[in-house]
Amino acid sequence: MSKIRRVAVTSPQTRLAHARRRSRHRWRVVRLPAGDTQRATTLYRAQRRSGVPALLLMFALLLGLPGVFALFPGLDTARLLGIPVSWLMLAVLPYPAMALLARWQLRRAERLEDDE
């Protein structure tokens, strides 16, 4: 099975905004054919629905850290390599976790595109 090459897609409004800067002529809004519009709308809604769990997990991670610190006040005194664990949790933990969430969501969105 051959791998489909992915391309970056920008909205028609973005393309028009860039084109207007280069050209001073009148412009018109680009319209998709009816079938493409329906497929794009369906895909957009499906990807938006599939993004909700990743978004909720990200908010739980970021907003849950203060709760963890409240439940475990000893994290302020515990040290790892001379740095308080609570600081490490704030400075280091969220970024790899958000990168993993983003990768997970990207894979799910690509799967929806492939199924389309």
Side-chain angles (χ1 to χ4, degrees):
M1 184 168 132
S2 66
K3 182 120 173 121
I4 297 172
R5 184 173 172 266
R6 300 209 180 269
V7 296
V9 178
T10 59
S11 74
Q13 290 80 15
T14 303
R15 286 193 302 268
L16 286 173
H18 290 294
R20 272 186 287 179
R21 277 190 232 136
R22 288 186 290 249
S23 172
R24 297 292 178 201
H25 303 288
R26 293 179 57 91
W27 58 276
R28 65 181 179 86
V29 176
V30 177
R31 302 280 181 206
L32 290 174
D36 289 345
T37 302
Q38 178 64 29
R39 282 199 334 262
T41 303
T42 303
L43 182 61
Y44 170 72
R45 288 183 179 147
Q47 287 179 341
R48 192 173 59 185
R49 272 192 310 274
S50 78
V52 170
L55 189 64
L56 291 175
L57 284 171
M58 185 195 67
F59 280 127
L61 169 72
L62 294 178
L63 299 176
L65 281 175
V68 170
F69 297 145
L71 288 173
F72 303 103
L75 292 174
D76 285 335
T77 57
R79 293 187 177 275
L80 181 66
L81 301 173
I83 302 170
V85 173
S86 60
W87 286 25
L88 289 173
M89 288 176 66
L90 282 174
V92 177
L93 176 69
Y95 301 104
M98 286 189 289
L100 289 173
L101 278 172
R103 183 180 170 96
W104 176 60
Q105 176 54 30
L106 176 65
R107 296 290 176 239
R108 294 174 62 198
E110 287 176 344
R111 213 172 306 125
L112 285 171
E113 284 180 15
D114 293 339
D115 292 344
E116 189 61 25

